[in-house]
Amino acid sequence: MSYSSRTSELTFSDKELFDLAVAWVALSVAFALLLAPIHRFDIELGWFLTMIGLSFVTVGVAFLLHELAHKVVAIEHGQTAEFRADYQMLFLAIMSALIGFLFAAPGAVYHRGRITVRENGLIALAGPVTNHLLALLFLPLMLFPGIIGLVGHLGVLINLFLAAFNMIPFGPLDGKSVLEWNKPIFGAVFGLSLLLLAGFYVVFGFPALFG
């Protein structure tokens, strides 16, 4: 991979790798609790552990590549960038999953250096766009029966959810930076994200997790 004279090398500190791993595990557990709520006593432990494994593949890939997209685009614009987990928000994600919904804001890629509003918007936009591309890649897997089809279904649903959620123009979410940069682009991406998520859910719903 080549970079312009403004860019730095793509590297990861030990702290960043640790935070990525913790966020990956916490989000996987949170989604597993949401989809296979073992705390309601009608879900077998084996199935719950299976859902954690499936979440590692689907949620993990969606989360990791979303954050890496932010980092790569930030570096390409001359920034120093690292992911930092938000441990309070990870705790909230698990607690909210226990009561039947999920607030997924595991942390963020923090970057520093001289930057324009446009560049900041592009860095923010990279995450949701990556989730759209991942949803497209997971989609063909739905054609297969069994566990592969389930991975495909969850992969599409989770990536569309993360894209729409992160485009909300609030607080540290990506949508706020995109909106500050370009309102038409924000409206187009946010609207498309909501439309795709709603359309997919109406047509396919949640996967048949319990046979």
Side-chain angles (χ1 to χ4, degrees):
M1 181 181 294
S2 62
Y3 299 101
S4 70
S5 59
R6 293 184 60 195
T7 60
S8 303
E9 185 180 356
L10 179 63
T11 59
F12 299 89
S13 68
D14 290 342
K15 170 62 175 173
E16 184 177 22
L17 291 174
F18 179 80
D19 276 14
L20 285 168
V22 170
W24 189 333
V25 172
L27 281 181
S28 298
V29 171
F31 269 91
L33 286 170
L34 183 68
L35 297 172
I38 193 172
H39 53 288
R40 297 179 186 174
F41 306 109
D42 57 348
I43 303 297
E44 294 182 358
L45 176 60
W47 182 242
F48 174 69
L49 294 176
T50 299
M51 284 308 306
I52 291 180
L54 291 174
S55 294
F56 260 83
V57 175
T58 54
V59 179
V61 169
F63 153 72
L64 184 62
L65 294 186
H66 176 108
E67 299 301 338
L68 286 180
H70 288 316
K71 182 181 177 78
V72 169
V73 175
I75 289 174
E76 287 180 345
H77 286 93
Q79 300 288 287
T80 300
E82 280 209 1
F83 175 81
R84 286 292 178 266
D86 186 327
Y87 290 91
Q88 291 182 331
M89 296 306 295
L90 288 173
F91 179 76
L92 177 61
I94 293 174
M95 292 299 102
S96 65
L98 288 171
I99 58 177
F101 75 97
L102 187 62
F103 189 86
V109 170
Y110 293 94
H111 51 89
R112 64 181 184 272
R114 296 181 61 184
I115 197 169
T116 66
V117 173
R118 176 182 176 274
E119 290 170 341
N120 195 48
L122 289 172
I123 292 168
L125 190 61
V129 169
T130 296
N131 288 128
H132 282 299
L133 294 175
L134 285 171
L136 189 62
L137 291 175
F138 274 106
L139 187 61
L141 298 181
M142 292 180 60
L143 298 174
F144 294 88
I147 195 71
I148 296 178
L150 180 57
V151 167
H153 198 148
L154 284 174
V156 174
L157 188 62
I158 287 167
N159 275 286
L160 292 179
F161 166 77
L162 288 178
F165 177 81
N166 279 283
M167 282 302 297
I168 296 173
F170 174 78
L173 298 176
D174 300 327
K176 185 176 180 181
S177 295
V178 179
L179 179 62
E180 290 173 351
W181 161 48
N182 190 301
K183 291 181 176 62
I185 290 178
F186 164 79
V189 176
F190 190 30
L192 178 63
S193 299
L194 292 174
L195 182 63
L196 289 174
L197 177 60
F200 184 85
Y201 180 77
V202 168
V203 175
F204 296 105
F206 280 109
L209 298 174
F210 309 112

